[in-house]
Amino acid sequence: MAKLSTVLYLITLSIVVDRVRSISSPLEPFIIYQHSVELEKDVADLWWTVDSVKGEITFELHIKTIGWIALGISPAGGMVGADIGVGWVDQTGRLYFQDRYSFGRARPMIDNTTIDWFGLQGRESSGWTAIQFKRLLDTCDVMDVAIKSGTNNLIFAYGLADPDPSGPDGEISYHDSRRGSRAIPLQSYADPPSEDAFAGLDYFEFRLNNYVVPSAETTYHCKIYKAPSQYTVKRHAIGHKTLIGAGNTDLVHHLLMYECDSTAVFDDNNLPDDECDKIYEKVAPCASNIATGWAVGGDYMIGFPEEAGYPVGGDFHIKYYMVQMHYDNQKLLSNRTDSSGIRFYLGNKLRQYDLGYLTFGTDSSAAALAIPPKAERFIVDAYCTANATQNFPEEGITVISTFPHTHLQGRTVWTKIIRNNTAVDYLFDAEAYDFNYQYENRLPNRVKLYRGDEFATRCIYNTMNKDVITLGGERTKDEMCLHMATYYPRMNNLYGCMTLNSPDTWLAKMNSSPPFDYNQFKGWLQSLKWTPERVAEWQEFYNTAPRMLIHGAAPNLQFNPLPKIPEYKDLKPVTCARDQTTPNQSPATRTTASRGSTQRTTVAFNSAVRQNMFTFFPLISILIKIIIS
């Protein structure tokens, strides 16, 4: 019955999405699809459905031309190495469709080894061409690009006339400037609702008012907002919109909304509003419990599932919020003002469940992330133990979407669900991660998590373009390793389960003794000289280093030593097979087992760290405060 309900919900969602999405084509698609997107306004639209059982995807591409049209899957967003389906409809209504591959910036060649793109039907009308076609998610063909879990790079192009089928191979003409690209998670796209879907609803906003952005490369601005007081009974937000100030898409890198802990008290007539480092002591009660957010490249509109909403008002215990704005001002521009923020739309009826947010990964500090340069594949593992999930409700929680997040060097982010020391599935596998397109990934099949579950999170980085070490931190050129999940029913005592390398381990690595001076530690890291041998040794150190596990919710965070990343029986590696009938998974999955342990010692931290440790999820700053107080 549950599966049937899910199917019906997806069908209903598809119909609604088809009616409200911004689409240019005047032609109706051949069938109802799971997803749709406008690739280029008044030029190109795309619909698609993923069949995870058959391991295949069906596309329908509409482009404003009576010539040939093409859609490609690209390794990096350009022509080089792109796997392309090309088709056209002649004057008699006959469909032609070709499987092509691009070795470079030239006409893609026809793939005669195997045909993996299949044209299904097509038509021309009103100056538009519409073609339906399909292929496997992974064709096992070296001249094809696998459609991986995570963000996929799509390219499209078109010509003004059909190729001459009597000519050599029915060659297509040069597309000239008639081309485009779009990065999108094909297997986990959360179709943004039309703003019209929220017309007439109550809403509230948390946003800045002509804030003058400093002429610094990186600015984190924090502002405290009081919860809306006009709602005397609890209401449910059913969606939200990210509001980016006019002309400021080049400045705003991400925003995060935090829930202040229930003990937070502020002067409502003088709420903190300044650069985060300058008001750290004032906003500390609001610096840990992540609620929701947006990052560069993501969709601005988010709709929640019909059975759950975000609670506000009435007896809901959160009375203050903090919005943290990250400005990435690489050109050091001055006199720029910004009024960005977030708007929540309130439904007219309460839904069945309250939504909650849960974050896995590492702390965003140098104690958690110190990634060497010239590393093609540097792995950082984090782990959340069963101790942290003992407060899950007996019936479990249901995850509806996840939001993986690293900075420029991140290439892959995944989290696996561990039960009885065995990996049973991915929570989500962002195998193809792109910093410039950070989407909320709506899970095709919602995932149930239970009391006692454990979670292994891995971030993989490539630093071949770096000559210096990359440290965890808030700047864009620093790094993060976070995987945030949206779920229901909400838990009020668990927002995050994070790790960092234990301070005593770093002291041993530095051949130093307590107290731990964070600034001295960062200086030591930045002074290291790197060779291929040291990079390999550093990876082994990360594989075996004892961690500190921090979980719960402020102000009652729990701190526990984790002698090593626990071993577990991993998912079976999936080899590519053309007759695959199971969902596509990452090849060559690895066990994240590590060996070795370190005696935990008591260390004292330098209190000066408090002033410069406001991070995305500032666990180390909270840990410092607890230890030195």
Side-chain angles (χ1 to χ4, degrees):
M1 188 65 183
K3 290 185 177 179
L4 178 60
S5 298
T6 300
V7 170
L8 291 174
Y9 171 71
L10 288 174
I11 292 174
T12 302
L13 179 63
S14 298
I15 295 172
V16 172
V17 165
D18 185 64
R19 290 175 179 167
V20 302
R21 295 288 292 131
S22 177
I23 293 296
S24 303
S25 173
L27 309 184
E28 287 293 323
F30 289 107
I31 63 173
I32 292 175
Y33 293 88
Q34 290 174 347
H35 307 289
S36 65
V37 69
E38 187 177 57
L39 295 175
E40 183 178 339
K41 185 174 178 59
D42 297 326
V43 173
D45 299 313
L46 182 68
W47 291 259
W48 73 99
T49 291
V50 176
D51 187 329
S52 58
V53 175
K54 293 181 179 179
E56 68 180 22
I57 184 167
T58 301
F59 293 104
E60 186 168 333
L61 178 65
H62 292 199
I63 293 185
K64 191 176 184 179
T65 183
I66 57 172
W68 62 267
I69 65 176
L71 182 75
I73 312 298
S74 169
M79 284 287 290
V80 179
D83 171 26
I84 304 170
V86 178
W88 64 94
V89 179
D90 69 12
Q91 292 181 350
T92 69
R94 180 181 177 184
L95 172 64
Y96 293 82
F97 206 78
Q98 300 172 338
D99 184 347
R100 289 180 175 257
Y101 181 83
S102 176
F103 283 100
R105 299 178 185 275
R107 180 188 289 122
M109 64 172 289
I110 293 179
D111 181 358
N112 288 318
T113 56
T114 59
I115 297 176
D116 298 306
W117 293 82
F118 300 97
L120 300 176
Q121 53 188 328
R123 71 182 187 273
E124 286 183 352
S125 180
S126 304
W128 286 71
T129 296
I131 299 180
Q132 184 191 57
F133 50 97
K134 70 176 182 178
R135 56 155 278 185
L136 293 175
L137 296 172
D138 193 348
T139 68
C140 310
D141 186 342
V142 295
M143 294 180 68
D144 290 338
V145 178
I147 297 175
K148 298 179 178 180
S149 177
T151 302
N152 311 111
N153 295 302
L154 306 183
I155 58 175
F156 65 94
Y158 61 99
L160 299 180
D162 295 342
D164 181 359
S166 63
D169 297 325
E171 282 299 359
I172 57 177
S173 58
Y174 179 49
H175 56 63
D176 197 39
S177 61
R178 296 177 291 272
R179 57 184 173 83
S181 62
R182 175 72 182 260
I184 198 163
L186 289 171
Q187 297 193 60
S188 54
Y189 186 50
D191 294 81
S194 166
E195 193 166 5
D196 293 341
F198 303 123
L201 295 180
D202 293 338
Y203 66 85
F204 64 92
E205 296 178 347
F206 299 144
R207 63 189 304 181
L208 297 174
N209 183 19
N210 292 320
Y211 169 65
V212 179
V213 180
S215 57
E217 181 180 7
T218 295
T219 298
Y220 272 70
H221 183 90
C222 291
K223 180 174 174 60
I224 302 297
Y225 298 87
K226 187 175 182 180
S229 58
Q230 65 268 36
Y231 308 121
T232 56
V233 297
K234 186 174 78 171
R235 302 283 299 274
H236 269 155
I238 62 173
H240 60 75
K241 179 183 182 180
T242 300
L243 306 165
I244 302 301
N248 288 341
T249 55
D250 61 324
L251 283 178
V252 181
H253 174 267
H254 74 245
L255 69 83
L256 276 182
M257 188 180 83
Y258 292 80
E259 295 176 357
C260 300
D261 70 57
S262 56
T263 65
V265 177
F266 296 101
D267 177 359
D268 292 347
N269 296 315
N270 188 26
L271 294 172
D273 179 7
D274 206 337
E275 292 180 40
C276 300
D277 285 343
K278 294 180 180 179
I279 56 174
Y280 175 73
E281 293 292 341
K282 295 180 180 179
V283 302
C286 306
S288 296
N289 300 335
I290 296 176
T292 190
W294 172 91
V296 60
D299 286 313
Y300 298 107
M301 299 294 299
I302 297 295
F304 299 143
E306 59 185 5
E307 69 270 32
Y310 182 72
V312 64
D315 60 356
F316 186 53
H317 68 287
I318 303 301
K319 302 305 179 186
Y320 294 95
Y321 298 86
M322 180 175 75
V323 174
Q324 177 200 82
M325 301 293 305
H326 175 191
Y327 294 100
D328 185 25
N329 189 1
Q330 296 186 24
K331 296 181 180 179
L332 307 181
L333 301 172
S334 58
N335 299 320
R336 295 282 296 272
T337 60
D338 182 59
S339 299
S340 297
I342 189 168
R343 173 187 296 166
F344 286 86
Y345 297 95
L346 300 175
N348 293 321
K349 296 181 180 179
L350 280 181
R351 295 181 167 185
Q352 184 176 2
Y353 299 109
D354 289 349
L355 282 173
Y357 299 91
L358 177 60
T359 301
F360 302 105
T362 74
D363 179 44
S364 300
S365 69
L369 296 171
I371 306 167
K374 304 302 179 186
E376 187 171 5
R377 178 183 167 88
F378 192 81
I379 297 172
V380 175
D381 287 318
Y383 201 88
C384 178
T385 68
N387 289 339
T389 65
Q390 291 305 310
N391 290 327
F392 274 22
E394 187 175 351
E395 69 277 14
I397 63 174
T398 299
V399 177
I400 61 171
S401 63
T402 75
F403 180 79
H405 179 75
T406 74
H407 283 181
L408 295 170
Q409 312 308 135
R411 297 296 181 269
T412 294
V413 182
W414 55 245
T415 295
K416 292 175 183 174
I417 305 165
I418 314 299
R419 290 185 184 135
N420 300 318
N421 299 317
T422 301
V424 296
D425 202 352
Y426 286 99
L427 176 61
F428 184 71
D429 179 11
E431 181 183 5
Y433 175 82
D434 189 331
F435 165 81
N436 294 301
Y437 297 94
Q438 300 191 46
Y439 287 96
E440 175 182 317
N441 293 272
R442 187 63 55 87
L443 303 184
N445 299 301
R446 295 174 188 179
V447 176
K448 287 283 289 186
L449 306 178
Y450 298 97
R451 187 178 297 170
D453 281 352
E454 300 186 321
F455 303 94
T457 297
R458 171 172 287 187
C459 293
I460 301 176
Y461 304 91
N462 183 306
T463 59
M464 294 300 290
N465 64 332
K466 298 291 289 289
D467 294 316
V468 297
I469 194 169
T470 303
L471 303 181
E474 60 192 23
R475 300 175 302 174
T476 301
K477 63 184 179 182
D478 297 329
E479 264 306 337
M480 294 181 176
C481 175
L482 297 167
H483 204 170
M484 291 165 273
T486 304
Y487 71 92
Y488 62 80
R490 173 190 173 92
M491 300 176 290
N492 292 322
N493 54 4
L494 183 61
Y495 285 83
C497 190
M498 321 286 286
T499 61
L500 68 158
N501 293 354
S502 67
D504 47 323
T505 300
W506 282 121
L507 285 172
K509 187 71 174 173
M510 291 189 294
N511 194 25
S512 183
S513 57
F516 185 99
D517 186 311
Y518 185 76
N519 291 325
Q520 182 182 28
F521 163 64
K522 286 183 65 176
W524 173 76
L525 287 172
Q526 292 165 337
S527 70
L528 294 174
K529 306 300 180 183
W530 295 97
T531 64
E533 293 74 22
R534 171 164 273 183
V535 171
E537 181 273 332
W538 202 257
Q539 180 67 79
E540 179 60 23
F541 164 69
Y542 256 81
N543 292 344
T544 59
R547 266 70 163 182
M548 177 71 72
L549 175 67
I550 309 176
H551 60 89
N556 299 309
L557 289 169
Q558 304 296 309
F559 300 83
N560 304 114
L562 187 64
K564 64 177 183 178
I565 297 292
E567 298 182 16
Y568 58 85
K569 183 179 179 181
D570 208 349
L571 299 169
K572 292 181 179 180
V574 176
T575 56
C576 186
R578 290 188 62 82
D579 61 350
Q580 67 183 51
T581 57
T582 57
N584 191 43
Q585 291 181 295
S586 305
T589 52
R590 296 186 179 185
T591 302
T592 59
S594 61
R595 294 174 176 81
S597 60
T598 303
Q599 180 83 22
R600 182 174 188 270
T601 59
T602 301
V603 296
F605 289 83
N606 191 313
S607 60
V609 175
R610 297 186 190 185
Q611 301 303 317
N612 56 17
M613 282 304 298
F614 190 89
T615 63
F616 200 100
F617 194 96
L619 297 177
I620 191 170
S621 56
I622 297 170
L623 176 61
I624 291 167
K625 187 172 182 179
I626 290 175
I627 291 179
I628 67 176
S629 59

